[in-house]
Amino acid sequence: MDRNGIVFEYDYAKSTSNKSKHAINFEEVQVLWEDPQARSFEAMAVLGEQREAMIGKIYDKLWTVIYTKRGNRIRLISARRAREKERELYEKTNTTAN
């Protein structure tokens, strides 16, 4: 799926499962890349694959998405509501930036 020049890929079954568990699927979470205040940082590598996390807002709620870059594509792995420490990081970095 191409969104604003970014090519996203994901496992459809995992997206459906994520919607059941966390109330958001991988199609919906792609709008995080449109949040100018979204923050990315390194997440834990799994099986040698470096992963990243992004915290951003969708409809005034903070979400965290885990993803990896594969060439010019972004592979979505999971998405959920931001945890307390992630919310604090988002608010701190956006307060400092303003």
Side-chain angles (χ1 to χ4, degrees):
M1 167 56 109
D2 184 316
R3 184 182 193 97
N4 295 328
I6 300 171
V7 179
F8 292 94
E9 61 183 28
Y10 55 86
D11 180 284
Y12 180 78
K14 175 77 171 147
S15 177
T16 302
S17 170
N18 203 87
K19 178 77 171 184
S20 296
K21 289 171 74 175
H22 302 291
I24 194 165
N25 67 33
F26 295 160
E27 190 73 27
E28 296 165 317
V29 80
Q30 293 175 29
V31 299
L32 283 183
W33 274 261
E34 297 172 13
D35 178 357
Q37 295 183 318
R39 298 292 180 250
S40 292
F41 55 92
E42 285 188 13
M44 185 186 316
V46 175
L47 299 175
E49 180 177 66
Q50 181 57 51
R51 295 185 174 189
E52 296 183 45
M54 178 183 285
I55 307 166
K57 282 191 178 181
I58 301 175
Y59 303 118
D60 294 325
K61 293 182 181 178
L62 283 174
W63 295 87
T64 298
V65 62
I66 306 298
Y67 64 97
T68 191
K69 294 177 183 172
R70 293 186 177 168
N72 65 344
R73 298 174 179 268
I74 292 177
R75 175 87 176 169
L76 301 173
I77 299 167
S78 68
R80 58 172 166 68
R81 290 293 302 275
R83 296 180 178 145
E84 185 176 349
K85 293 280 186 190
E86 294 162 341
R87 289 192 305 270
E88 290 170 4
L89 174 66
Y90 180 89
E91 291 165 5
K92 179 181 176 186
T93 57
N94 283 311
T95 301
T96 304
N98 291 330

